[in-house]
Structures are given as structure tokens and as C-alpha cells.
Amino acid sequence: MKKKIIWVIDDDIIYQTIINKLIQKMEVFSNYSSFMNGKDAIISLTNKLEEDSNNLPDIILLDINMPIMDGWEFIEEIKKIKSNIKKHIQIYIVSSSIAIEDKDKSKTYAEIMGYIPKPISVNDLMSIVSNDNN
């Protein structure tokens, strides 16, 4: 199996630490990047589109509630540049939100592959990796 590039966009430093350890332990990811908000991630994504589109993420784990640019705003920005992205990027909402509205809203976006409640598990990550069609 080809190793994947994964990005985690979440402002929770404890969650970032935990997910980083899970990702390292799994050994199915070639590259891991983390961002504390959607704006930093969009800037990085745009830069990678211009520099080296081979290093775009295969998978993005996206939190909803973050400062500066939240998950929903990030998705709206992705939609604006989607035509420039030649790679299929799987985006999963990973949130501690238990609001049914958030789960329902995530289903209205074609860009979002699924909604995973925190804490994410190794099984969740393996399921995401095995769902990738690339």
C-alpha cells in the first residue's frame, strides 16, 4: 500500500499530540502536517499547488470549531480552489461537537467524506486509509 500524506487541522494541542502519536505508530503515512486553524492550512495548500502538487495531502482531518478560520470556512475556501487541485483529497470532520446540526451540515458538502466523533481511534484511521481509492 502506498503511504499517504495526512494533514490535521485542529486547534486542540492535546488532540494534536495524541493524533500525531497514532499516525506515527500506524506507519501508513509518509508525511504528517498539522495546523492550528483553517487559514494556515489553506495558505499551505495554495502554496503547495503552486510549488509541488505531489505533496498535497491525501487525507485531511478537520475540526469544526477553531479560531481565525473554522472548519466550515476552510471547506468554503477549498471549494474556491477545487478546480486547481488535481488530486482527490479525502476530508473528514473530526469533532467533539455532539450537535446533530453539525453532523447534518457535514452531509451537505460533497467535499466531506465523513464525520468522526473525537477521540479518533486507530480503527478510524485504518478505515479512512482503506477507503482511499487512490
Side-chain angles (χ1 to χ4, degrees):
M1 173 186 343
K2 180 179 171 267
K3 290 193 173 191
K4 307 292 179 193
I5 298 170
I6 187 167
W7 285 12
V8 176
I9 308 169
D10 197 303
D11 65 320
D12 182 338
I13 199 75
I14 294 168
Y15 171 75
Q16 287 274 7
T17 303
I18 292 167
I19 193 76
N20 183 23
K21 287 185 185 323
L22 281 178
I23 287 168
Q24 287 178 4
K25 186 185 288 186
M26 291 180 61
E27 299 180 356
V28 294
F29 299 103
S30 62
N31 192 315
Y32 162 75
S33 297
S34 65
F35 304 90
M36 296 300 281
N37 62 70
K39 184 174 184 185
D40 291 346
I42 279 292
I43 290 168
S44 184
L45 190 66
T46 304
N47 290 341
K48 289 202 180 300
L49 274 173
E50 293 169 6
E51 297 164 6
D52 182 10
S53 60
N54 291 328
N55 283 324
L56 291 174
D58 297 292
I59 298 164
I60 295 176
L61 303 180
L62 177 66
D63 189 23
I64 299 172
N65 300 309
M66 295 176 287
I68 304 172
M69 180 186 284
D70 69 20
W72 304 125
E73 293 166 323
F74 174 83
I75 293 291
E76 291 301 325
E77 291 300 312
I78 282 265
K79 286 167 67 173
K80 291 177 188 174
I81 61 171
K82 191 176 181 179
S83 62
N84 298 328
I85 302 171
K86 305 297 182 232
K87 181 179 201 178
H88 173 68
I89 301 173
Q90 293 186 83
I91 301 174
Y92 289 85
I93 299 291
V94 180
S95 179
S96 56
S97 171
I98 57 169
I100 275 298
E101 302 84 50
D102 287 334
K103 202 169 194 175
D104 288 345
K105 185 174 182 178
S106 74
K107 293 175 185 172
T108 66
Y109 288 92
E111 295 78 12
I112 299 174
M113 305 293 293
Y115 188 101
I116 303 168
K118 284 183 183 175
I120 195 165
S121 69
V122 170
N123 288 341
D124 292 329
L125 282 174
M126 284 309 294
S127 178
I128 289 169
V129 170
S130 63
N131 279 345
D132 189 8
N133 299 330
N134 296 334

